[in-house]
Structure formats: structure tokens, C-alpha cells
Amino acid sequence: MTTRRITTLFEMKQFTAEVRSRAKSLALVPTMGALHEGHLSLVRQAKAQCDVIVVSIFVNPTQFGPAEDFARYPRDLENDFDLLESLTVHAVLAPSSTEIYPAGFSTFVDPGPIGTVFEGAVRPGHFRGVATVVLKLLNIVRPDMAFFGQKDFQQVVVIHRLIQDLNLPVRMVVCPIVREADGLAKSSRNLYLSIEDRKAASLLSLSLKRAEEMAQGGEGETQKLLEEIHKTVDVEPRLQLDYAAIVDPASFEPVPQVLPGSVALLAGRLGTARLIDNLIFGPPGSTPELKLQLALTAHAADKGIGATPRADVDNLRLSIENCRDCAAVSSISLPAREFLAKYLKRDYPDLQSTRVLVIGGCAPIDPDGSPYCRPETPNPFATKLYDLLGVRNSGEFKARFALTDAARCHAIGNRVDERTLEYCAKHLRQELKLFPNLQSIVILGEYAYLQFQRHILGRERARIKPFGELLKSQGWAQETVRLPSHTERDVRIFYCYHPTFESKKTPSIAPYLE
Ligand code: AMP
């Protein structure tokens, strides 16, 4: 496959139209070039999630201040192109400045208050330029998904807001920071560093690492963590901090106590180079992806339960405004209708012939644990589910059943709140409509039960029998209902224990599903 080199918007639009006509999904990875492993990690993530990948390379003049490094920003288009070709990227969009900003251009996006603090305060107008060019690129390429790096955390939040506030039909995926061996975040601007500077620069990430260790050791006061950051950086007088702060990622307000999802932001100067870095605090052992979820998708008030957040990390819950396979990476903005059309139909091979829908609380939350995982990974959830339904493997399962999860990844830990269930029920109600010939629904576990009773059948909380009581006598229960999505005939509902519920097992209900 050869990589297409596109320089005009006209050609780009043609390319997108071609991709659309073949019903392929399209990813955009916007960059300013001088590519390194950080950029390439976004490309790899995009390849894992989309059919066709476009990488844009455009050093955007409107995001640089008059005294900044626009003119000398590193540019190496030929090398970038070779790298992207070796990754079999489908197209590289490298337009000229006049193609993006033709004479008479005068409309800009104002990203609001978040665009005016920290990086926005040091670089006035920077985020106005970023938001404007990203909106333009999204409109030009019209991707299904766009990929950004956590490295530029404030930029991520600005773009996340842009997508939500302007109802852009794109799903945003944020990828963790790729670092050098000594911890320095990879950046095109690292090319400005002398060998000596390069050593000093690693103090930025070292200071974040120390703050993280202190937080995990039990220090929750941000003042103490910031003192440690300053102490570490001050060892090198040439490294001057522009700011160091620990903020709530939704408001960018400094916080007195660290919560899971709080973010430490750092910016410093070393000679002529300006470097930024950040750290998301999370429960010990949490993956970079989980930390991103905590920072970008949880509501501030939901991040900790109880007075001491660290003590309650197991109960940590997320309520995400958008949807489902966000467990894979992070934030999403996609209206439900597009979501259903693009992602759901791919999961369920034959919507017409599906007679039985299985709804399980958080069922496919772990991509490796889902029966839809390709290639399939044996796992306890699937094995017990197959026993319950009387099938031997995922092939048999997929031929007869469709699986969806009730709470999706809007919740983790062992509590799912009412608001989360209601939010996810919106999608569940639409999903039900996708299966016109549904005869039965198997409900796995208490959360799916509560969601179904409250938000699909619309029953009053006081009228809902406690789950344990309902299942007490035979380990499962059954009722026949008329669903709002299926008004022509009755649908049989089976309530069972969740397959991962250790202490109770539902006997096989296979004979009733014939
Ligand atoms: P830039 O070329 O600096 O505009 O970056 C293009 C995209 O790559 C942005 O979404 C950045 O956040 C992302 N990026 C840059 N450096 C890194 C890194 N070290 N790790 C992950 N993503 C990065």
C-alpha cells in the first residue's frame, strides 16, 4: 500500500468521500510534524480502532505567539512521510498555510476560561489557535475518531470541550504520554535541547514521579506534593518553572487535596526550550488508560466516595457522559444514533435473526473478557455464561445470542449508581429497537435487573422486589412483559445471578430458551 500525500483540501475531501463510499471507518491524527514515538503511538492506536488512517502535519501559525518559535519549529516532512509510510498510514495531509488560512480568513473559536489559564496564560491566544485549527481539520477530514496525546493535557481538555460544546460528530481518543528512558516526555521541541540541557530536563518528570510516589504513600495535601516538585526541580537553577499546579481537570482550579483523576501540570524553561509535562493521579497500580478515564470522564463530585479518597478506591465509580467501548481508551463524544450505527452493528452479527438478548451489568467492560473479543480469550465470565445458556463456545453463543452490558464502562468498582444506570439506559432503550424479532431477554445480575426494572419497564423503585429475594427459591426468575420497544407481542424476561458472582450460581436456563 502506498501512502497518499495530500496537500489540498479539495483532494482531502475526495479522499474522505472515497472512504465513506466504502463504508470504512476513518481516523485523524493531527500533528505538527517532526514526528517521534509519541506521535507514532497515536497512529498505532488509531490503526487498532479504525480502518483508514489520515495523519495531518501542519505547523499551525495561529497557535504561536509573535515572540514564539513558529519560524524555527522543527520541520522534516520527508522523514515524517517515510515514518508514516512505514506504518502503512493511508494518507498524510500536509497543507500549506494559505490552504488552511486563505486571504480574508477571520473566524476563530474561543475556547472559554480553560483556554486562558496555565498554558493559555503564558501563551495568550494559543488555545484559540489550537481550537480553530482542530475544528477546521475535523471539518476538512470528517473522521469518525480523532486521536490526541495526554502530553498536551490542557489541549486535550480544550478539544474535549470543543467537541462537546459544538456537537461535533467525532469520537475523541486520548493516548498516554510516551517518555524517553529517563522519563522526559517525548516532544518535537526536545530537539532544541543541548546534551547538558537534556539531563536537566528529566528533572521535570522526576519531580512528578516523586509527587506520585508521595501520593501513593498516603500524602494527599497538594501543598506538600508541590513542595516536593519544586524541591526536585530547584536542584537545577537553569530549569525555571513557569508554573506547577495540581488541578481539577474539569475546571482547572487548583485543588487542596489530591483525588483520583486530579492532574499535576508543569511547564518550565531551559535555555530557549519550553517544556511541559503532566501527571494524572490514580489508585495504586492503575493503568495510564484508567487514569485518563478518571481525569477526563468522571464528574468531579463522583471521584471519591467518603472522606479519604485513597481509602475508597475500590468503590471508585465513574459516570461517563458518553458511551461504551471507552473502556478501551478514554473519552468519547458521539451522539447515540451515530454510535449505534457505527459500533453496535459491528458487534452483533445478525440483528434480524437474534431472538435472545443477554444484558449483563458491566459484561463486556474488559475488552479481553468479552465474548466479542477477537481473537477470543478464554475467561470465567464467558465460560459461566455459556454454561448458563447451554452453549459450548463463542461461535455457538454468537449464532444465537447478542450480549450487551447494562452499566457499560460508566461505572467501575462494586457500586453502580442510579444516575449511571439511567444514563446507560438511554442507549439500552435504543439497542432494544435494533432487534425486531426479540423473544427473550436474559438479565444478568442486580445492576442490570435494577436498570431494566426502573428504566426500561419504568417501575417505581418501591415496587421492585429485592434481587436476592426474587431469585431465592430457584436461583432465577421469569416474567413476561410488553416492552416499549416491542409493542406487538410479549417478551420473556429471565433474571439470573451475574456469572461472575462467586457465591451464587444460576442453574442452566437453556431448556427455557429453545
Ligand atoms: P504536536 O505535533 O506536538 O502538535 O503533537 C501532535 C499530537 O501528538 C498531540 O495530540 C500531542 O499531544 C501528541 N503527542 C506529542 N508528544 C507526545 C508524547 N510524548 N506522548 C503522547 N502523545 C504525544
Side-chain angles (χ1 to χ4, degrees):
M1 193 207 75
T2 54
T3 301
R4 280 262 285 274
R5 204 185 274 238
I6 298 177
T7 53
T8 66
L9 306 193
F10 177 74
E11 210 187 327
M12 188 64 237
K13 283 180 183 162
Q14 275 186 330
F15 182 88
T16 296
E18 234 171 75
V19 175
R20 293 255 166 277
S21 72
R22 287 184 288 135
K24 301 276 188 198
S25 56
L26 181 61
L28 171 65
V29 182
T31 80
M32 298 206 299
L35 300 182
H36 50 71
E37 257 313 304
H39 299 110
L40 302 187
S41 74
L42 308 191
V43 173
R44 290 197 186 94
Q45 190 55 248
K47 285 184 72 171
Q49 293 188 253
C50 284
D51 302 319
V52 177
I53 318 299
V54 175
V55 175
S56 62
I57 298 178
F58 180 64
V59 184
N60 173 37
T62 62
Q63 70 188 66
F64 288 79
E68 291 184 9
D69 56 346
F70 174 68
R72 69 183 186 109
Y73 192 84
R75 292 165 171 86
D76 192 350
L77 199 53
E78 286 316 308
N79 188 49
D80 290 349
F81 190 83
D82 288 348
L83 274 173
L84 295 172
E85 191 154 50
S86 72
L87 285 183
T88 60
V89 161
H90 301 78
V92 175
L93 170 65
S96 65
S97 276
T98 46
E99 192 74 13
I100 297 291
Y101 298 110
F105 179 90
S106 66
T107 307
F108 285 86
V109 179
D110 173 0
I114 289 174
T116 63
V117 291
F118 299 107
E119 277 307 279
V122 180
R123 308 180 65 187
H126 170 67
F127 288 116
R128 176 182 188 252
V130 168
T132 303
V133 82
V134 169
L135 177 59
K136 282 175 68 74
L137 289 169
L138 292 174
N139 281 336
I140 292 160
V141 179
R142 291 198 296 122
D144 298 292
M145 301 195 196
F147 293 76
F148 299 89
Q150 180 199 329
K151 158 80 185 357
D152 299 276
F153 186 79
Q154 198 173 352
Q155 168 173 291
V156 160
V157 176
V158 164
I159 293 168
H160 192 231
R161 277 250 65 88
L162 170 83
I163 290 172
Q164 288 188 329
D165 291 350
L166 301 186
N167 309 96
L168 305 182
V170 66
R171 181 180 158 195
M172 179 185 189
V173 177
V174 185
C175 304
I177 304 178
V178 176
R179 298 179 178 279
E180 303 285 356
D182 65 358
L184 177 67
K186 295 211 179 210
S187 163
S188 310
R189 288 190 169 98
N190 292 351
L191 291 170
Y192 298 152
L193 299 171
S194 66
I195 295 172
E196 216 186 8
D197 286 348
R198 180 59 197 73
K199 253 196 203 149
S202 67
L203 290 177
L204 281 182
S205 59
L206 179 66
S207 73
L208 291 174
K209 194 158 164 249
R210 288 195 178 152
E212 181 172 45
E213 282 163 6
M214 275 174 78
Q216 296 199 336
E219 181 55 72
E221 252 187 75
T222 51
Q223 187 57 36
K224 296 260 169 55
L225 303 176
L226 289 171
E227 277 166 19
E228 182 64 27
I229 288 175
H230 281 284
K231 207 170 86 189
T232 309
V233 171
D234 288 349
V235 168
E236 177 50 79
R238 286 181 311 130
L239 179 57
Q240 290 294 318
L241 284 184
D242 276 342
Y243 56 78
I246 299 177
V247 301
D248 174 335
S251 62
F252 271 69
E253 294 282 338
V255 288
Q257 286 283 326
V258 169
L259 287 175
S262 301
V263 182
L265 301 170
L266 283 191
R269 285 169 204 272
L270 196 58
T272 55
R274 193 160 177 285
L275 303 169
I276 57 172
D277 202 345
N278 66 78
L279 164 83
I280 303 173
F281 293 93
S286 46
T287 60
E289 287 77 12
L290 175 62
K291 289 181 187 169
L292 272 163
Q293 268 199 9
L294 286 166
L296 295 172
T297 52
H299 294 290
D302 293 339
K303 281 184 195 157
I305 301 169
T308 50
R310 271 183 318 282
D312 282 306
V313 284
D314 288 340
N315 275 338
L316 196 68
R317 63 204 152 101
L318 297 178
S319 50
I320 296 176
E321 283 174 357
N322 299 296
C323 209
R324 202 160 84 136
D325 47 353
C326 38
V329 193
S330 60
S331 60
I332 301 221
S333 291
L334 198 72
R337 192 173 46 79
E338 283 86 349
F339 167 79
L340 288 167
K342 287 200 174 90
Y343 303 106
L344 225 76
K345 288 186 182 170
R346 189 181 61 190
D347 276 1
Y348 303 131
D350 186 353
L351 305 171
Q352 292 286 328
S353 71
T354 300
R355 302 272 185 276
V356 187
L357 180 64
V358 181
I359 304 175
C362 298
I365 184 170
D366 167 12
D368 294 333
S370 160
Y372 292 104
C373 176
R374 283 160 295 206
E376 195 187 351
T377 328
N379 68 88
F381 170 78
T383 311
K384 289 185 184 165
L385 179 65
Y386 300 160
D387 278 355
L388 175 72
L389 302 174
V391 295
R392 279 169 304 182
N393 51 43
S394 74
E396 283 185 19
F397 174 81
K398 284 191 266 188
R400 289 181 53 208
F401 303 102
L403 173 72
T404 187
D405 55 339
R408 309 232 156 80
C409 42
H410 300 220
I412 57 166
N414 52 15
R415 280 186 53 189
V416 183
D417 67 6
E418 177 84 6
R419 198 155 53 97
T420 303
L421 291 179
E422 163 46 22
Y423 187 80
C424 303
K426 263 202 289 197
H427 293 302
L428 187 52
R429 283 192 288 269
Q430 296 188 48
E431 251 168 85
L432 287 170
K433 291 190 207 149
L434 289 176
F435 303 98
N437 298 313
L438 208 59
Q439 288 175 351
S440 306
I441 297 178
V442 178
I443 306 266
L444 305 173
E446 187 167 1
Y447 292 123
Y449 166 71
L450 287 176
Q451 183 185 46
F452 194 77
Q453 292 277 320
R454 289 275 292 122
H455 303 293
I456 304 292
L457 301 180
R459 289 182 180 158
E460 287 298 314
R461 207 188 173 94
R463 276 191 52 214
I464 302 173
K465 223 180 185 179
F467 189 61
E469 214 172 283
L470 181 78
L471 268 59
K472 203 163 61 185
S473 61
Q474 57 175 353
W476 60 282
Q478 185 190 341
E479 71 171 321
T480 301
V481 298
R482 222 14 99 89
L483 291 174
S485 51
H486 295 74
T487 50
E488 302 297 307
R489 68 195 140 69
D490 288 341
V491 174
R492 284 189 308 165
I493 316 294
F494 297 87
Y495 301 104
C496 309
Y497 290 109
H498 197 277
T500 57
F501 192 53
E502 288 299 330
S503 51
K504 290 276 188 339
K505 185 170 183 285
T506 301
S508 173
I509 56 167
Y512 307 94
L513 297 173
E514 293 306 323

